[in-house]
Amino acid sequence: MALNIKPLSDRVLIEPVAAETQTTSGIFIPDTAKEKPQKGIVVAVGNGTKDHDMTVKVGDTVLYGKYAGTELKFEGNDYLIMKEEEIFAVL
């Protein structure tokens, strides 16, 4: 995926994974009850700062906080941009 977005400094651009539409037991979840995803795929990474080298890379699947980052829409797709420190784990 070639994006024309390059995060600055220690920021990361993440494409959230789609929310679950069905439980494991087969019950469909209505749109009003879906939770905001907390998992996504890194699509762009900044260069870091002189005090902080970036540890995530493009293609990593990451976990982040429910209210982390800033939502943005680019070319019809939803993304989150956040500081790397808001990422909890790489899967």
Side-chain angles (χ1 to χ4, degrees):
M1 173 186 305
L3 283 177
N4 294 332
I5 298 176
K6 177 68 175 165
L8 299 177
S9 176
D10 60 345
R11 289 186 171 67
V12 178
L13 186 69
I14 296 175
E15 182 175 13
V17 174
E20 295 290 325
T21 59
Q22 188 174 4
T23 65
T24 53
S25 60
I27 299 171
F28 287 96
I29 302 170
D31 289 339
T32 56
K34 288 182 186 173
E35 292 213 12
K36 187 175 173 183
Q38 293 177 286
K39 182 169 139 180
I41 298 171
V42 176
V43 293
V45 178
N47 293 327
T49 63
K50 65 179 181 174
D51 299 327
H52 179 78
D53 291 330
M54 300 301 280
T55 55
V56 297
K57 59 187 180 305
V58 174
D60 283 349
T61 301
V62 295
L63 297 176
Y64 49 86
K66 187 178 286 192
Y67 303 106
T70 302
E71 296 177 353
L72 64 104
K73 193 173 211 67
F74 184 73
E75 295 180 352
N77 295 323
D78 292 325
Y79 297 100
L80 286 170
I81 192 160
M82 65 183 71
K83 288 190 169 211
E84 186 182 43
E85 65 190 28
E86 294 182 81
I87 295 173
F88 296 143
V90 177
L91 301 177

